[in-house]
Amino acid sequence: MSLTSKYLSQDEIDAILKFGVSPAVDLSPAERDALGEVGNISMGTAATTLSQLLNRRVTITTPRVKVLGMKELLAQFTVPYLSLLVNFTVGMSGFNLFVVRTSDAAVIADLMLGGTGHVESAELDEIKISAVSEAMNQMISTAATSLHSLFGRKVNISPPEVLMFDVPPKEGVLAHLERESLAVVAFKMVVGDLIDSELLQVMPIASAKQMVEHLMGGLASSKESPNTPPQSPEVAVHRAQFSPLQVPLQTGPGQNIDLILDVPLQVSVVLGKSRRAIKDVLAMGAGSVVELDRMVEDQVDVLVNGTLIARGEIVVVNENFGVRITSILSPAERLREINR
């Protein structure tokens, strides 16, 4: 995906904020819970992607869903701040705007460029904007893939556009939008011991309701009152006619699978990974300690012939190490791991 970045003028800010805004409506408690669950799943996979990019433990959790007007939303921002705008092109309509503080963006950019993440200034130059944009791009692409698996339908997004808001909107300019509403999902984002902050996901109410409908299988779009029984159309009733019972042909795993049951497979367990510069590898010797990207309590990966299929925890079996399987990856999760 291509990325563009720019600082926005006042007119451009106004144009962005007008785009895709729906009439003032609210979300029910059930819809907010469902939207939070969608965010938990999609941003959980995004956190895994960011963790691999930064070689740091990353968690994006605890989504809090609010419905805010324009003034309330803009009041939460202290300029300058960085955001990534994507439009839904297939499977959904509307847009998503992801917003991070420039101080957090500066840390992410420094880590992407091989630094320690300890930055003295939150100022972002063109190189740093490009670095943090690439990180957020990969995060959002992974999140979109998880929506595909979650909803059971294709969800495509447009190439992301990086937006730097360096001036607050002028007072009164957005007066005509005061009655408009947006769904705002605030996530707690923690990156190692470097970032403990918030990541905001902003979308039109219409897009938020679409997500809820897709998650609930269309139940959220039902207009029937809970106290009014549904009216069933008249149908013709006939005596059922049954064909003679036939023994079905076996289509699942049958006797043929016995032919390959003795084929050996390589099962390996990955405790963690680490990325090091060549000079660090050459400097390794007896007694060197290599820090991995996993915490002590984290689960390990179980691979079969190099493909991740499960996760588990380390145990001791008769003085040997072993792995107790705690979760098996779904086919969709395995496919995502193969495509990485």
Side-chain angles (χ1 to χ4, degrees):
M1 290 184 178
S2 61
L3 287 164
T4 60
S5 61
K6 60 182 179 181
Y7 284 85
L8 298 184
S9 66
Q10 182 61 52
D11 292 339
E12 290 172 319
I13 289 177
D14 299 341
I16 289 294
L17 294 175
K18 291 179 185 178
F19 175 73
V21 177
S22 56
V25 290
D26 203 347
L27 296 172
S28 68
E31 288 174 326
R32 296 187 185 210
D33 290 343
L35 189 61
E37 183 61 26
V38 172
N40 241 339
I41 296 172
S42 61
M43 297 311 293
T45 59
T48 301
T49 298
L50 186 60
S51 176
Q52 294 174 342
L53 291 173
L54 304 183
N55 198 24
R56 293 288 192 282
R57 178 178 173 83
V58 177
T59 58
I60 302 177
T61 56
T62 324
R64 293 178 291 107
V65 180
K66 301 179 182 179
V67 175
L68 300 177
M70 283 295 176
K71 279 190 173 181
E72 297 171 303
L73 176 61
L74 295 173
Q76 297 192 6
F77 298 153
T78 302
V79 294
Y81 51 89
L82 182 143
S83 62
L84 201 71
L85 175 68
V86 295
N87 296 314
F88 291 108
T89 59
V90 175
M92 290 188 58
S93 60
F95 69 90
N96 266 200
L97 186 69
F98 296 86
V99 184
V100 296
R101 298 172 181 168
T102 52
S103 56
D104 300 335
V107 172
I108 293 174
D110 188 66
L111 291 172
M112 287 287 289
L113 295 172
T116 63
H118 298 282
V119 297
E120 298 180 357
S121 172
E123 185 175 351
L124 297 174
D125 57 23
E126 195 67 29
I127 295 178
K128 291 181 179 179
I129 291 176
S130 178
V132 71
S133 299
E134 177 59 27
M136 294 183 68
N137 175 30
Q138 294 198 33
M139 288 173 59
I140 294 174
S141 297
T142 305
T145 302
S146 69
L147 291 181
H148 182 179
S149 302
L150 182 62
F151 297 155
R153 64 170 60 204
K154 195 171 186 178
V155 178
N156 286 351
I157 57 175
S158 65
E161 183 177 7
V162 180
L163 308 173
M164 283 292 297
F165 290 79
D166 63 338
V167 293
K170 297 175 183 177
E171 187 174 355
V173 171
L174 302 176
H176 59 292
L177 297 177
E178 289 180 0
R179 290 177 296 177
E180 306 294 352
S181 301
L182 293 170
V184 180
V185 187
F187 298 90
K188 179 179 177 62
M189 181 173 68
V190 178
V191 179
D193 58 354
L194 300 171
I195 296 176
D196 188 348
S197 185
E198 274 193 340
L199 168 68
L200 296 185
Q201 180 185 15
V202 183
M203 71 189 79
I205 291 291
S207 296
K209 287 183 174 291
Q210 273 188 338
M211 287 187 177
V212 173
E213 290 173 7
H214 294 335
L215 178 67
M216 305 300 290
L219 294 179
S221 61
S222 174
K223 302 298 183 181
E224 295 179 348
S225 169
N227 298 323
T228 304
Q231 300 297 320
S232 301
E234 294 184 2
V235 295
V237 179
H238 304 282
R239 182 179 297 276
Q241 300 293 326
F242 297 99
S243 301
L245 182 63
Q246 302 289 336
V247 179
L249 296 176
Q250 187 170 358
T251 58
Q255 297 179 350
N256 289 340
I257 199 173
D258 294 338
L259 300 176
I260 62 172
L261 290 180
D262 293 328
V263 174
L265 299 175
Q266 181 68 35
V267 179
S268 55
V269 176
V270 177
L271 181 62
K273 299 178 182 179
S274 179
R275 180 178 296 179
R276 291 290 183 269
I278 293 177
K279 63 179 181 180
D280 296 330
V281 175
L282 294 176
M284 289 181 183
S288 298
V289 176
V290 178
E291 183 180 357
L292 303 178
D293 61 350
R294 302 288 178 89
M295 302 293 286
V296 174
E297 67 274 12
D298 286 349
Q299 296 182 340
V300 296
D301 295 336
V302 179
L303 290 78
V304 174
N305 279 10
T307 299
L308 178 62
I309 66 163
R311 291 188 171 90
E313 56 186 18
I314 298 295
V315 296
V316 177
V317 182
N318 296 329
E319 299 183 355
N320 292 328
F321 284 119
V323 178
R324 178 186 290 115
I325 302 298
T326 57
S327 63
I328 302 294
L329 270 66
S330 67
E333 290 173 323
R334 296 179 197 173
L335 183 59
R336 286 201 300 272
E337 293 294 334
I338 293 174
N339 291 332
R340 284 182 178 174

